[in-house]
Amino acid sequence: MARLALITGGTRGIGAAVAQRLDADGLRVAVTYHGNETAAQDFAAHHPIPVYKWDVTDFDACRSGIERIEAELGQGVDVLVNNAGITRDAVLHKMSVAQWREVVDDDLGACFNMCRNLIHGMRERGWGRIVNISSINALKGQFGQTNYAAAKAGVIGFTKALALESARKGITVNAIAPGYVATDMVHAMDPQVLAGIVAQIPVGRLGEPDEIAHAVSFLVDERSGYLTGATLSINGGQYMA
Ligand code: CAA
């Protein structure tokens, strides 16, 4: 039977590109979404991929959502892509407690909520692939993103620790640190600020969601079993570390 992949935040942006790529690769795919109903309906109308709704910051919702998917699709989740994420950009001296907490809960806490509820099954079956979407700004910092940079840097530490714990069980855990990719999140930025950032990208353009999906496909491949604990930068040369 084909492996089952679950992608959080999978109805638009990088997540939707990942879902389509893994589907094309021959995996069974399911996606989650939370906020954007229009995007979810549009995705469901155009792709034969089941769509589930829950809040990934809610631990119990993650547990029951995963149980439902596994029951409905008749197999355990073998591949998890923790992609759902948000920004609440503000300089620290203006940042509210809510802006801090929402980003840490969504961008870092969700990795715990999802992995904690899936890891047993992967360990029992002796095979798993986890890919956590971090960010260039975890590595280099970004003006106006203490919350996001901290959460996404946390994702990298989480990835390395879980990779160590999972290595003997046939489970790889890796992170991808995308640069500025043409998604709703990036297009929500002030156009002048964004133009200034694009000017600093050696490749001279934003990334495409498909370019991130290509790397996810590689990391979750059957042949990538020796690749674990890594953080793969895909940023057009904007930051090399
Ligand atoms: N470096 C140095 N100084 C800067 C600066 C920078 N990058 N950006 C702004 N400043 C300066 C401004 O010139 C201004 O100076 P003055 O007070 O002397 O005029 C001061 O800092 C305050 O700046 P703003 O007026 O811009 O502050 P603000 O509160 O209005 O805006 C902000 C803050 C909206 C967060 C803005 O800084 C910003 O848009 N930053 C970029 C955030 C960003 O890159 N977000 C990425 C979202 S997409 C994503 O995150 C995906 C991913 O993984 C890459």
Side-chain angles (χ1 to χ4, degrees), residues 89-97 99-100 143-147:
D89 293 351
V91 288
L92 183 72
H93 58 271
K94 296 182 197 167
M95 187 177 289
S96 68
V97 173
Q99 284 173 316
W100 171 261
F143 195 101
Q145 284 200 314
T146 50
N147 50 3

Side-chain angles (χ1 to χ4, degrees), residues 87 89-91 94 135-137 142-145 148 178-180 185-186 189 193 197:
T87 52
D89 293 351
V91 288
K94 296 182 197 167
S135 167
I136 184 176
N137 293 340
Q142 171 58 37
F143 195 101
Q145 284 200 314
Y148 186 83
Y180 285 73
M185 182 185 274
V186 165
M189 293 175 65
V193 174
I197 287 171

Side-chain angles (χ1 to χ4, degrees), residues 139-169:
L139 303 171
K140 75 166 193 56
Q142 171 58 37
F143 195 101
Q145 284 200 314
T146 50
N147 50 3
Y148 186 83
K152 292 294 192 180
V155 167
I156 293 174
F158 177 90
T159 298
K160 291 178 179 177
L162 187 58
L164 287 173
E165 294 180 9
S166 307
R168 294 284 175 92
K169 295 288 182 185

